[in-house]
Amino acid sequence: MNHANGGVRASGANAPVVPDKLLALTTEALAFVSRDRAEGMARQWLAGAPLSNRNEQLALARSLALELALSVPSLTGTTAFDRLARAMKDHSPENAAAVTLLRRSRLRLARLSSARFEDLATGETLPLLPTPPSDAVGNNVVAFGRFTTTEDGYILATGTLVLLDDGALAVARGFVRPGGRGIGNPVRCAEAVYRHIIRNGASTADWRGPIGGGNPSFRSSQIAIPSML
């Protein structure tokens, strides 16, 4: 594997994965997301929020709701990435490796410092591989979002990263189990963090992508939705 050239490998795969492949499959996985459910989440987060710019706030809420919907398991325990894997017709080694990484993704609370990932819920530290989401948020930041691990112990961001201010971090820490046992309910944690950001304001880092659209500018926390989504 050549990390310097942006390639990563999933366990059992014999081909490198590049960020563009993760992006393409994430976009395909949106076909297995309930848009009505995501829309309902977005509007629930906005309920009671002061609306300084409703269109931009709704766009941001929809973006975060779709991002979360990718990780929400169905009644049978499968995510959109699991359903994508079953439906894929192209079983090339590159696609197999990429979808394995996406299926392995988990919502995590972390400090990102240069090439280092520190899980603030477990205390685990791992070397961080660059991808557009982590590149967009910068260095020495506290972030919440979707990350995956490689077969050789690296970690990389595979989706939207939310940078947390003190208020949003306090919300996230409310879901952290004692003794380094991680986040008790990552989906509920994400819902609470995103609702806090939508209702209390956020400012965007440099981001773009097919989910959110626009470039809202609020105050407080930061959102990075780069071209990975």
Side-chain angles (χ1 to χ4, degrees), residues 6 10 19 22 47 58 62 65 70 82 84-85 89 100 105 123 146 149-150 168-170 176 186 204 206 220-221:
L22 296 174
L58 182 57
R62 283 171 170 163
L70 289 166
D82 296 325
L84 170 66
K89 293 182 171 56
T100 295
S105 295
R146 183 157 41 88
T149 53
T150 70
L169 178 58
V176 174
T204 60
D206 180 21
S220 187
S221 302

Side-chain angles (χ1 to χ4, degrees), residues 1 16 25 34 52 98 111 133 146 203:
M1 178 171 62
L25 290 180
S34 169
S52 57
R111 183 180 301 279
R146 183 157 41 88
S203 61

Side-chain angles (χ1 to χ4, degrees), residues 200-226:
N200 292 277
S203 61
T204 60
D206 180 21
W207 63 266
R208 57 191 171 83
I211 289 184
N215 189 9
S217 180
F218 307 124
R219 59 177 177 82
S220 187
S221 302
Q222 291 184 323
I223 311 296
I225 308 176

Side-chain angles (χ1 to χ4, degrees), residues 1-18:
M1 178 171 62
N2 190 341
H3 293 307
N5 291 331
V8 297
R9 291 186 190 277
S11 179
N14 57 8
V17 179
V18 295

